[in-house]
Amino acid sequence: MGGYSKFIVLGLLIISMTIGMFSSLYSFQEVSQRITAHTTLSAWSLAQLELEYQKLSTELQLYRAGKSDGDKLSLAYDLAWNRMDVFLHGEESAAVRSQFGAEALIQKVFLLLQQHESLIENLPSPDSPELAAWEQQLLTLQPDIRQLMIQNFTGPGATRGMDSIEATVKHISWVLAVVALLSLLMSYLLFRESRQHWFLSLHDPLTTLTNRAHFLTLLKERCYQASVKRQVLSLCILDIQRFNEVNDLFGYQNGDALLQGFGRILRLRFGKTALIGRTGGSEFALLIPQHEVTTLLPDVLKEFDSLLREYDPAHRVYLCCGVSTYPEQCSTDGELYQFAEQALSAAKKNSPNHYQVFNTCMLSDFQRRRELATHLRAELQVPDSAKLFMCYQPVHSVQPSEKVGMEALLRWRHPLFGFVAPPEIIEIAEEHGLGDALGDWIFRRVFKDLGSLPFWQIERISVAVNLSESMFTLNLPTKLNQFLRNSPILHEQLILELTETIALHDFATSQQIMRALQKDNIRIALDDFGTGFSSLAYLKDLSVDKLKIDKSFIQQIDLDPRQLYLVRHITELAHDLGLTVVAEGVETAVELDIVAGIGVEEIQGYHYSRPLELPHLISYLAKHFHPETPS
Ligand code: C2E
Ligand code: CA
Ligand code: CA
């Protein structure tokens, strides 16, 4: 049942239950009121009438026996007269009058009274025969009046009242039964719904395997139990490499079927012993209470391979696994997961369909990175740090120009671990949530460094800063405006370099950020072009100004004609889109001649200069520009 229809059904159930309840209550109240009113009225009027009639008869007997005087008799006569008059002509008694021949009988009795009116006015002596005859007549009619009373209480009218009470009770019972049934149905629907929600909150809807969040919770529990029972646990993370290509080439339906198929394989092989989860888009995890997971993995890889024949005939996709063990290699569930992920990264670097067990080498690498992260956090508190600093590599125009560009490159000379490669610093920062802080530190440091350049150099340079993933957010333009306020360079002298991976991660947001930056006259260069997604199709939709062709295309461009062919075509296409092309990694004069011949506008590489520390940059620029040369 769809989301809306469920609410409609529930709404209708509640409305019909409410209507049923109220209508039953209303009809019950009406019937009982009607019956009570009728019973009260008829009982009262007839009882009064019989009473007065009997009193009259008794008074007549007493008078005749000489035990009462005439006044009492005439009072009883008047009261009986009134009672009958009211009964015969009153509106309230109309209903009682109309049944069981009540009107005719009382009319008869009333006539009897009327006939003896003169007798009451001139009351004869007690032994008068007229009085005896009248007494006899009154006594004769008395049983009829009694009978009328009985009929009124027990006759069909009264039974009809009882019947309608009974009918109403029956009606209410039905309604209540329906209400109870509807309540049961509603409770069942709510129960089913909440059970579904509960299941979906813990499982992946596609494979019905445990989802990432729930898997991590269970992993924590199982690790705790294992530590108490002194058991060994093996965690295996399996990632389907290049899975997106199945989606792209054969459609999402095939992609989904492949994931479901793989989920089935895992369930069949490990369902009884292992905890199985889908922990990412193409990532699965197995937690097995034993050592021997590695003996089982080759079979899984084989089965997966046959599954692939169905969904990926071209065999682009393959499986990689990383394995770690608790408590041998680690002391917490978090570490167990981290180590399996690290082993997985190593497996990815090896041949396809490979598994890698976390080893001591990886452990020492992990410890080193953890230590580096702690030191980096401390270093980021020091804006003038001598260990963490920026180098600047010149970028020259092919055409003679009085302007020089430069790329700011991060350096870390660690007292213990020596030189730490910039990509590793960035990786560690991103992994440990320091990406943002590092980004801020870099911008502050670059603008501070530029502040020490002579003003005639500042006017003639532009500087490119590399962005890491966590820096490329919607608040980047605002942040940069703040930094640039205290910087010696103008907005148009700043270039931001970002890779395709970062730019295409969230295309719509990237477009938004880039448009805002372009509005502020900050330029954007797409870095390492050719190593990632490398599609020129999306470039027209992004506000990019420059394209930096990766150095791997430039190196040996003089020896490999295919490199030359690629660089030429990339350059032509970029020019068609109005972009400036920069060749990175130009090391020799031959390479320079070739890329210049192709039409590349800017050159960066060891041929001109290696990245320079600030004092060397100042000397380099001083050699290039003479203070008097007009800019
Ligand atoms: P990148 O952005 O592509 O930077 C260019 C890299 O190529 C630099 O390496 C540079 O030293 C090197 N290079 C320049 N010319 C030549 C050449 O002729 N031959 C050779 N073999 N290499 C050359 P570096 O400084 O080691 O940086 C490596 C990567 O680290 C950078 O690649 C960039 O992705 C990243 N990185 C460096 N500094 C920063 C930074 O401040 N922020 C961010 N987010 N990333 C940075
Ligand atoms: Ca760069
Ligand atoms: Ca680059």
Side-chain angles (χ1 to χ4, degrees):
M1 219 185 279
Y4 278 122
S5 45
K6 260 181 271 176
F7 284 110
I8 292 170
V9 169
L10 280 181
L12 284 176
L13 284 179
I14 290 168
I15 291 170
S16 40
M17 275 165 64
T18 316
I19 292 175
M21 296 275 282
F22 276 106
S23 83
S24 317
L25 278 176
Y26 176 75
S27 64
F28 182 73
Q29 206 180 9
E30 210 197 26
V31 166
S32 70
Q33 255 177 11
R34 224 175 40 224
I35 289 166
T36 314
H38 172 79
T39 314
T40 316
L41 197 75
S42 56
W44 185 82
S45 57
L46 273 174
Q48 288 298 312
L49 198 138
E50 194 197 5
L51 190 75
E52 298 303 342
Y53 186 85
Q54 261 178 0
K55 261 190 195 169
L56 176 63
S57 171
T58 312
E59 282 303 326
L60 185 58
Q61 279 171 24
L62 288 172
Y63 179 75
R64 284 193 59 236
K67 289 181 185 163
S68 172
D69 55 27
D71 290 346
K72 280 189 180 163
L73 177 61
S74 86
L75 180 66
Y77 177 86
D78 286 345
L79 285 173
W81 174 290
N82 271 339
R83 190 60 63 207
M84 279 172 213
D85 191 25
V86 167
F87 185 82
L88 287 170
H89 304 108
E91 237 175 74
E92 295 87 353
S93 48
V96 189
R97 219 162 45 218
S98 63
Q99 39 186 8
F100 314 123
E103 191 165 10
L105 175 66
I106 304 303
Q107 198 77 55
K108 201 167 150 190
V109 176
F110 193 40
L111 195 69
L112 190 67
L113 252 64
Q114 283 169 336
Q115 283 166 356
H116 294 83
E117 191 179 7
S118 56
L119 206 65
I120 289 292
E121 277 168 8
N122 303 303
L123 206 59
S125 61
D127 52 359
S128 143
E130 285 158 303
L131 287 180
W134 188 28
E135 185 191 326
Q136 198 50 51
Q137 283 171 322
L138 285 176
L139 286 173
T140 318
L141 283 174
Q142 211 158 335
D144 293 345
I145 294 174
R146 171 115 300 231
Q147 184 60 30
L148 179 64
M149 276 278 289
I150 292 165
Q151 269 187 324
N152 192 57
F153 279 107
T154 57
T159 339
R160 220 181 297 135
M162 289 309 289
D163 285 350
S164 59
I165 287 185
E166 220 170 84
T168 312
V169 167
K170 216 185 245 175
H171 169 74
I172 289 173
S173 308
W174 270 110
V175 171
L176 287 179
V178 172
V179 166
L181 261 174
L182 291 179
S183 311
L184 268 175
L185 182 67
M186 223 162 90
S187 314
Y188 169 71
L189 286 177
L190 286 173
F191 169 73
R192 214 179 56 169
E193 183 83 0
S194 59
R195 210 177 53 166
Q196 241 168 21
H197 276 293
W198 177 76
F199 184 83
L200 284 176
S201 69
L202 304 178
H203 296 84
D204 160 50
L206 186 68
T207 57
T208 66
L209 292 172
T210 308
N211 66 20
R212 183 182 175 87
H214 190 42
F215 186 88
L216 293 179
T217 313
L218 294 176
L219 179 72
K220 200 185 188 83
E221 284 173 19
R222 303 267 168 110
C223 280
Y224 173 73
Q225 286 162 4
S227 70
V228 173
K229 294 182 189 162
R230 296 177 181 278
Q231 275 177 342
V232 174
L233 289 177
S234 288
L235 176 68
C236 175
I237 302 182
L238 306 108
D239 196 9
I240 305 175
Q241 299 299 293
R242 303 169 76 173
F243 168 72
N244 278 348
E245 294 186 21
V246 179
N247 277 341
D248 293 344
L249 291 170
F250 305 109
Y252 280 88
Q253 257 177 340
N254 269 297
D256 286 355
L258 174 63
L259 292 172
Q260 284 171 326
F262 187 49
R264 258 195 308 275
I265 292 179
L266 294 179
R267 203 174 253 142
L268 275 175
R269 289 215 153 255
F270 303 100
K272 286 196 184 110
T273 48
L275 169 67
I276 312 167
R278 182 174 170 210
T279 46
S282 60
E283 192 185 278
F284 294 79
L286 283 174
L287 183 70
I288 306 177
Q290 60 184 17
H291 262 309
E292 303 86 57
V293 62
T294 47
T295 55
L296 305 169
L297 280 177
D299 286 344
V300 175
L301 291 169
K302 231 185 256 164
E303 257 187 80
F304 179 70
D305 218 40
S306 10
L307 178 77
L308 279 185
R309 264 177 251 288
E310 221 177 302
Y311 296 103
D312 174 35
H315 248 74
R316 289 174 189 78
V317 175
Y318 58 94
L319 195 65
C320 281
C321 325
V323 184
S324 60
T325 318
Y326 177 94
E328 268 172 28
Q329 297 174 324
C330 49
S331 51
T332 64
D333 54 295
E335 276 184 4
L336 179 65
Y337 202 90
Q338 233 174 342
F339 291 178
E341 272 184 329
Q342 216 162 320
L344 176 68
S345 310
K348 285 180 189 173
K349 286 174 196 150
N350 287 315
S351 56
N353 291 334
H354 183 85
Y355 72 86
Q356 173 73 54
V357 180
F358 187 75
N359 55 35
T360 44
C361 211
M362 290 175 192
L363 183 63
S364 58
D365 186 48
F366 169 80
Q367 284 162 342
R368 175 180 163 273
R369 281 164 85 96
R370 195 165 53 183
E371 214 172 315
L372 279 174
T374 314
H375 294 170
L376 181 64
R377 183 171 280 122
E379 220 56 60
L380 292 179
Q381 303 302 315
V382 190
D384 296 321
S385 167
K387 294 175 220 152
L388 193 68
F389 59 95
M390 302 305 293
C391 272
Y392 299 89
Q393 186 177 32
V395 181
H396 287 281
S397 293
V398 170
Q399 297 300 322
S401 165
E402 274 309 316
K403 305 238 161 141
V404 170
M406 61 181 78
E407 179 175 2
L409 294 160
L410 186 62
R411 295 288 176 264
W412 191 7
R413 259 194 304 257
H414 194 277
L416 217 71
F417 299 112
F419 177 78
V420 187
E424 194 184 9
I425 310 173
I426 304 300
E427 231 175 76
I428 291 173
E430 295 286 314
E431 263 172 31
H432 291 82
L434 297 170
D436 216 23
L438 176 62
D440 290 358
W441 185 94
I442 289 172
F443 278 114
R444 283 204 187 94
R445 182 64 176 258
V446 167
F447 294 142
K448 190 167 180 294
D449 283 353
L450 295 180
S452 56
L453 260 60
F455 77 93
W456 50 269
Q457 285 186 0
I458 291 174
E459 284 180 339
R460 299 172 193 189
I461 58 155
S462 61
V463 63
V465 178
N466 292 284
L467 291 183
S468 54
E469 184 142 20
S470 58
M471 291 157 76
F472 193 59
T473 56
L474 284 167
N475 71 349
L476 178 69
T478 321
K479 200 183 244 185
L480 283 179
N481 279 325
Q482 277 166 5
F483 284 136
L484 280 161
R485 229 172 273 154
N486 304 316
S487 119
I489 59 162
L490 303 169
H491 284 64
E492 41 272 35
Q493 288 175 282
L494 178 65
I495 299 162
L496 300 176
E497 292 193 6
L498 71 158
T499 58
E500 290 165 291
T501 321
I502 299 177
L504 300 181
H505 176 68
D506 178 352
F507 196 75
T509 313
S510 293
Q511 277 182 315
Q512 226 177 317
I513 304 169
M514 286 181 175
R515 263 186 241 125
L517 291 169
Q518 210 178 35
K519 230 189 210 167
D520 292 338
N521 290 326
I522 295 172
R523 282 172 292 163
I524 293 161
L526 206 60
D527 207 357
D528 302 343
F529 191 81
T531 57
F533 202 73
S534 307
S535 164
L536 285 157
Y538 64 80
L539 272 181
K540 62 178 177 9
D541 300 318
L542 289 177
S543 309
V544 174
D545 302 276
K546 286 190 183 196
L547 198 76
K548 295 187 82 172
I549 300 177
D550 189 64
K551 53 180 175 290
S552 57
F553 288 89
I554 308 299
Q555 277 153 1
Q556 300 194 326
I557 196 169
D558 47 336
L559 305 174
D560 188 346
R562 280 175 308 177
Q563 305 264 78
L564 179 65
Y565 176 83
L566 274 172
V567 174
R568 178 175 288 128
H569 280 275
I570 291 173
T571 308
E572 278 170 12
L573 284 166
H575 284 165
D576 287 346
L577 290 167
L579 307 180
T580 304
V581 179
V582 187
E584 288 187 311
V586 176
E587 294 187 358
T588 64
V590 180
E591 286 165 2
L592 173 64
D593 283 347
I594 294 174
V595 291
I598 286 172
V600 166
E601 283 93 348
E602 292 178 9
I603 309 289
Q604 179 179 354
Y606 295 170
H607 174 69
Y608 283 117
S609 168
R610 287 183 174 258
L612 303 166
E613 288 187 36
L614 184 64
H616 296 123
L617 173 76
I618 297 175
S619 331
Y620 182 91
L621 291 177
K623 268 189 226 156
H624 256 268
F625 311 128
H626 193 269
E628 276 85 53
T629 323
S631 58

